[in-house]
Amino acid sequence: MARVGVAFGGRSVEHQVSIRSARTVIGALTGAGHEVVPLGISQDGRWLDRELSQRAVKGDLDNLGAMEGELAPTLRHLLDSSIEVLFPVVHGTWGEDGTLQGLCEMLDLPYVGASVGASALAMDKVLCKRQLESCGLPVVEYGWVRGSDFEAHPERALKALPRLPFPLFVKPSIGGSSVGVRKVGSPEELQEAVDFALRFDTTALVERGVQGRELECSVLGDQQLEASVVGEILPGNLFYDYEDKYLLDTAELEIPADVSPRVTERIRSLAVDSMTAIGGHGMARVDFLLEGETGPATTEINTLPGFTSISMYPKLWEEAGLPLPRLVDRLVEIAFAVHLRRRSLDDGIKDWLAQLGA
Ligand SMILES: Nc1ncnc2c1ncn2[C@@H]1O[C@H](COP(=O)(O)OP(=O)(O)O)[C@@H](O)[C@H]1O
Ligand SMILES: [Mg+2]
């Protein structure tokens, strides 16, 4: 059994969801026999002491508001925690995007989930789509607009987009929780939607709007990735937007999704192939759009999926016969295995250099 740090909260809009996810993860890790050190991060990125972190876990605090003082010294709460492995449960930017993973790498600290590169790639929708496409995997047709081009000459930047039929979906390339996402029904609305998306990232992704079903599949593993059963999101709103995700609670999950065995198998294999394409390991929830007769297309890979008691990622594994305590235990085990391999690669380099010098 290990001493596991669970980092949660953080700077993204998913701060509160992250706290709820952390409560579930901490409960499951404790149930699996691990010793847990809660590591809360405030909304302005300060690492918090054990007492405040514990209060959030217990449910006394629903968010960890902005703190006074400099950020860097607060890292001592992580540095002094004597943890053997970190389980990041910080969704979105500064958590899911490779930055927290990079901090762990610098500290030589094993951590749960995808590595720096895979996390960063999955977080950037345009880069991720280009990568999936180059591996021959199906994605929804798209183009993108760079903020600097749009600022210099909006009409020209939009004209350079590939011709796609309306409706379109416009979103920030780096983002999450549907923040900045708009459905656009006509050319007149496009400019405003791009302008809006560019408030959240320097690149806007423009995608053909798919009239179809939203399906999701969970992936778990190290060098051999496994796929769970497939689930479906039934949005309560026009699409699965921020309000629908966090405010209204009207969206429904159907597990397993009511799709043919052929589509199920296709999605399961695409989920593993998509994760492999970005060099990912650990965990991910891979999302798909399924349209009429055409096959499913990968829309995004979430390397730090929601982990609340009602979240799709753990629920799909539960349905597949893997209960939460065993799921988190497996993730910790993978973190140690990846770390060991990484060390042996470093040793390989040292040996090679030593031989050169000999
Ligand atoms: N190309 C598309 N066609 C149809 N619906 C889409 C498309 N892109 C996004 N959506 C809708 O918008 C939601 C949010 O988009 P998504 O790409 O998943 O971004 P986020 O990372 O913010 O979750 C999706 O769950 C879906 O309901
Ligand atoms: Mg999404």
Side-chain angles (χ1 to χ4, degrees), residues 106-338:
M106 295 301 288
L107 296 174
D108 194 28
L109 177 66
Y111 57 95
V112 166
S115 63
V116 174
S119 302
L121 205 46
M123 192 72 203
D124 189 318
K125 292 189 173 71
V126 171
L127 288 185
C128 188
K129 284 174 83 100
R130 292 172 71 179
Q131 179 66 10
L132 296 178
E133 227 178 8
S134 75
C135 293
L137 298 170
V139 296
V140 178
E141 304 90 290
Y142 69 104
W144 70 90
V145 182
R146 284 178 359 142
S148 52
D149 294 341
F150 185 75
E151 217 171 277
H153 213 302
E155 287 85 12
R156 196 187 299 159
L158 297 182
K159 250 199 178 133
L161 281 169
R163 285 194 189 287
L164 299 169
F166 286 87
L168 300 172
F169 271 81
V170 180
K171 35 189 147 170
S173 186
I174 295 179
S177 295
S178 301
V179 171
V181 180
R182 288 232 174 120
K183 185 176 181 177
V184 170
S186 67
E188 297 73 49
E189 297 165 47
L190 181 60
Q191 184 162 336
E192 203 202 320
V194 169
D195 194 33
F196 182 60
L198 289 173
R199 279 168 51 184
F200 304 96
D201 187 30
T202 52
T203 301
L205 167 64
V206 179
E207 243 177 23
R208 178 174 69 80
V210 171
Q211 312 282 346
R213 298 168 66 181
E214 287 192 55
L215 299 161
E216 304 189 341
C217 184
S218 298
V219 172
L220 169 70
D222 182 5
Q223 286 165 313
Q224 291 295 324
L225 298 171
E226 290 168 57
S228 68
V229 298
V230 173
E232 179 166 13
I233 301 279
L234 303 160
N237 267 1
L238 178 66
F239 66 93
Y240 197 28
D241 61 8
Y242 184 83
E243 196 182 52
D244 202 12
K245 281 179 182 172
Y246 302 122
L247 305 176
L248 294 178
D249 209 15
T250 45
E252 284 175 28
L253 311 188
E254 184 148 295
I255 301 171
D258 184 14
V259 285
S260 70
R262 196 176 56 88
V263 170
T264 300
E265 279 321 302
R266 175 75 176 144
I267 286 180
R268 294 182 70 232
S269 81
L270 282 177
V272 167
D273 291 348
S274 301
M275 184 70 164
T276 305
I278 61 163
H281 60 247
M283 61 177 160
R285 196 194 71 232
V286 186
D287 297 351
F288 297 88
L289 282 168
L290 175 70
E291 187 178 28
E293 295 304 299
T294 61
T298 304
T299 48
E300 59 164 342
I301 305 173
N302 298 281
T303 52
L304 242 163
F307 245 107
T308 70
S309 52
I310 55 156
S311 291
M312 192 66 116
Y313 184 79
K315 275 189 156 274
L316 289 177
W317 280 119
E318 204 176 290
E319 178 72 18
L322 189 65
L324 196 62
R326 273 180 45 214
L327 172 62
V328 294
D329 202 33
R330 178 95 180 86
L331 284 164
V332 168
E333 193 183 289
I334 295 168
F336 282 122
V338 170

Side-chain angles (χ1 to χ4, degrees), residues 24-35:
T24 319
V25 170
I26 289 172
L29 283 167
T30 310
H34 294 288
E35 185 192 347

